[in-house]
Amino acid sequence: MSEVKDNQGPLWEVFIQSKNNLPYKHAGSVHAFDGEMALQNARDLYTRRGEGRAIWVVPSNQIISSVPTDEDSFFDPSDDKIYRHPTFYTVKEGVKNM
Amino acid sequence: MDNAIYNYALRMGDTCLILSHRLAERCSNGPFLEEDIAMTNISLDLLGGADLFLSLAAEVEGEGRSADDLAYRRNERQYYNHLLAERPNKNFAHVMMRQFLHDALLHPLYTGLKLSKNEHLAGIAEKGVKESAYHIRHSSMWIVRLGKGTDDSKEKLQDALDDLWTYTGEMFEYNDEEATLAKDGVIPSFEELKTTWLKTVKEVFNEAGLEVPKDKWMATGGRQGVHSEFLGHMIAEMQYLPRAYPDAKW
C-alpha cells in the first residue's frame, strides 16, 4: 500500500483560558504550518462562542506523555493515602474555582 | 428618506453580502479542514455586517421592507456592490487575494466609521472593526505565506493580483452625495481610505515579494448597478429559495 501523505501540516494542542487568572485547559488540537496559523485556527475552532480570553498553542510533538505501562507505578500508590486529599476541609461559601 | 445614507448602506451591505456568498461557495472546498472553517467564519462575519447595513437601509427607506427583502428580492441591476466582491472563485490564492484587497479597505473603513456622526453607522462599525481586524490578519498572513511559498503558489498569487487590481479603483469612487457625507463626518473620506489602503497593500505585497501592478484602466459600474456577467448567476442561485417559496419560514 502506498503511503498517504498528510498535507494538512503538523498537529498543535490548544489550551484555552476562560477567564483571567484561571488555569489554561486543554480544548483540543488543530493542524497548522506554524504558530501564528495555529493560533488563528485555534481561535476559529475553539473560541467563537465566548469560550476564552487567551489561547496557548503547543506543537503536539513537544508534549512529553506518560505511557500506559507507567500507570501502576505512577498513579496507584496515591489510592490508599486519603490524607493527601483535601476532603477534610470545608469550602467557604462564595469561593469559586476551587 | 435620507437618500445618501440609504445608498451608502446599500453599497456597503451589498458588497459584504456578495463577498460573503462568494466565500460561502467555498464551504467544504478549503485546502484543509481548519482553513475551511476559518473562511466560512469570515463569510458569516461578512453576512452579519451585510445584515446590519441592509437593515439600516430598509429602516431609512421606511417602506416596510426588511434586510431579507433587500437581499432576496432585488435584481442584479439593483445591486450596488463593488465589482471586486463578485469576482468568481478561481483557486485558493485568488480567493485570498480578493479577500485581502477587500479586508485592507474594510478595516480602516470601519475604524473611520466608528467616529461617524450617524449613530447607526457608528454602531455597525463598532462591531465590524474587531472582526475586520481579525480578517486582515488572516488574509495578509496567507498573502505573505503564499508569496514566500513555492514558485507555483507565488505565480498563482501574482496572477490573482494582476487579475483583480483593475477592480480596486472602484472601491474609492464617490459621488457628490458621498462627498457631502464625508465632509459632514458621517462616513470616512474616500481619499484618506485610499491612502491607508495603498500603504497596507504595498507593505504586505512587498513582504510577500509580489509586484504591484502598474496603474492601469480601472473597471467601474458596480455602484451604478452595472455588473460583470458573473453576478446574475450568483444571485439566481442565492435567491432561488426565497423566490420559489416567497413566504416560507425556516
Side-chain angles (χ1 to χ4, degrees):
Chain A
M1 202 175 119
S2 67
E3 205 174 303
V4 180
K5 194 165 168 260
D6 184 349
N7 62 358
Q8 304 194 41
L11 205 58
W12 302 67
E13 298 304 321
V14 179
F15 299 83
I16 306 282
Q17 186 188 38
S18 58
K19 284 184 197 147
N20 279 344
N21 302 322
L22 286 189
Y24 286 69
K25 282 192 183 156
H26 187 235
S29 52
V30 293
H31 288 102
F33 291 92
D34 64 23
E36 169 68 17
M37 192 192 278
L39 261 187
Q40 293 189 13
N41 289 345
R43 177 264 188 196
D44 279 330
L45 276 164
Y46 296 110
T47 67
R48 285 276 296 186
R49 291 164 195 87
E51 292 93 334
R53 305 288 311 162
I55 303 174
W56 285 346
V57 287
V58 182
S60 301
N61 64 11
Q62 293 296 307
I63 289 183
I64 317 297
S65 168
S66 65
V67 292
T69 48
D70 289 339
E71 199 176 297
D72 287 350
S73 61
F74 268 45
F75 309 114
D76 267 2
S78 62
D79 277 358
D80 57 350
K81 300 179 179 66
I82 55 166
Y83 46 85
R84 285 181 176 168
H85 299 274
T87 49
F88 307 107
Y89 299 90
T90 49
V91 178
K92 288 224 163 48
E93 230 177 279
V95 173
K96 290 171 189 160
N97 304 322
M98 270 294 277
Chain B
M1 162 170 124
D2 189 336
N3 269 314
I5 298 281
Y6 176 74
N7 289 332
Y8 186 76
L10 276 189
R11 172 185 187 165
M12 294 312 303
D14 287 350
T15 300
C16 290
L17 175 63
I18 296 302
L19 188 62
S20 162
H21 197 79
R22 277 289 181 234
L23 284 179
E25 290 173 347
R26 294 270 316 175
C27 183
S28 84
N29 292 303
F32 55 102
L33 183 65
E34 284 82 352
E35 183 53 35
D36 197 69
I37 290 171
M39 282 201 291
T40 323
N41 275 337
I42 291 168
S43 170
L44 280 175
D45 285 347
L46 288 168
L47 190 64
D51 184 38
L52 293 174
F53 277 120
L54 293 180
S55 297
L56 174 61
E59 195 186 316
V60 170
E61 186 189 41
E63 304 215 343
R65 289 206 283 182
S66 67
D68 280 353
D69 292 334
L70 288 173
Y72 297 118
R73 299 197 183 176
R74 279 181 302 151
N75 296 323
E76 184 191 344
R77 289 296 303 265
Q78 296 162 319
Y79 262 84
Y80 302 106
N81 59 283
H82 298 154
L83 296 173
L84 178 70
E86 71 198 52
R87 299 312 296 165
N89 299 324
K90 273 189 175 170
N91 52 45
F92 183 70
H94 199 270
V95 169
M96 270 306 145
M97 181 57 77
R98 184 185 62 205
Q99 195 58 36
F100 171 67
L101 293 170
H102 173 84
D103 292 343
L105 166 70
L106 209 59
H107 185 56
L109 189 144
Y110 275 139
T111 309
L113 203 59
K114 254 176 81 171
L115 309 170
S116 172
K117 294 223 170 94
N118 180 305
E119 56 175 2
H120 296 292
L121 288 173
I124 294 174
E126 185 78 39
K127 189 166 181 295
V129 76
K130 293 176 200 157
E131 292 174 349
S132 61
Y134 181 72
H135 298 170
I136 190 156
R137 180 170 167 178
H138 185 80
S139 57
S140 56
M141 174 194 77
W142 273 111
I143 297 299
V144 173
R145 175 183 308 281
L146 294 172
K148 286 182 170 170
T150 62
D151 289 347
D152 191 32
S153 70
K154 186 176 176 180
E155 192 187 321
K156 283 187 168 134
L157 197 64
Q158 183 70 54
D159 282 352
L161 176 55
D162 296 345
D163 183 34
L164 293 171
W165 189 251
T166 185
Y167 300 100
T168 57
E170 190 195 38
M171 302 196 293
F172 307 101
E173 282 179 7
Y174 58 95
N175 55 24
D176 292 348
E177 213 175 62
E178 287 162 323
T180 310
L181 285 182
K183 197 161 73 54
D184 294 346
V186 178
I187 63 172
S189 132
F190 286 89
E191 313 275 352
E192 281 169 34
L193 282 180
K194 187 170 184 180
T195 312
T196 313
W197 179 84
L198 257 181
K199 187 166 168 283
T200 308
V201 299
K202 281 186 175 164
E203 265 172 28
V204 173
F205 292 155
N206 195 29
E207 199 188 336
L210 297 180
E211 225 171 284
V212 179
K214 300 253 180 320
D215 280 337
K216 58 176 181 182
W217 177 80
M218 289 288 180
T220 182
R223 293 172 49 254
Q224 285 78 44
V226 181
H227 293 279
S228 65
E229 65 271 36
F230 302 108
L231 186 70
H233 292 283
M234 181 216 249
I235 287 189
E237 193 173 295
M238 187 177 87
Q239 296 183 336
Y240 168 75
L241 266 182
R243 295 264 195 202
Y245 306 98
D247 300 311
K249 298 253 181 297
W250 62 80

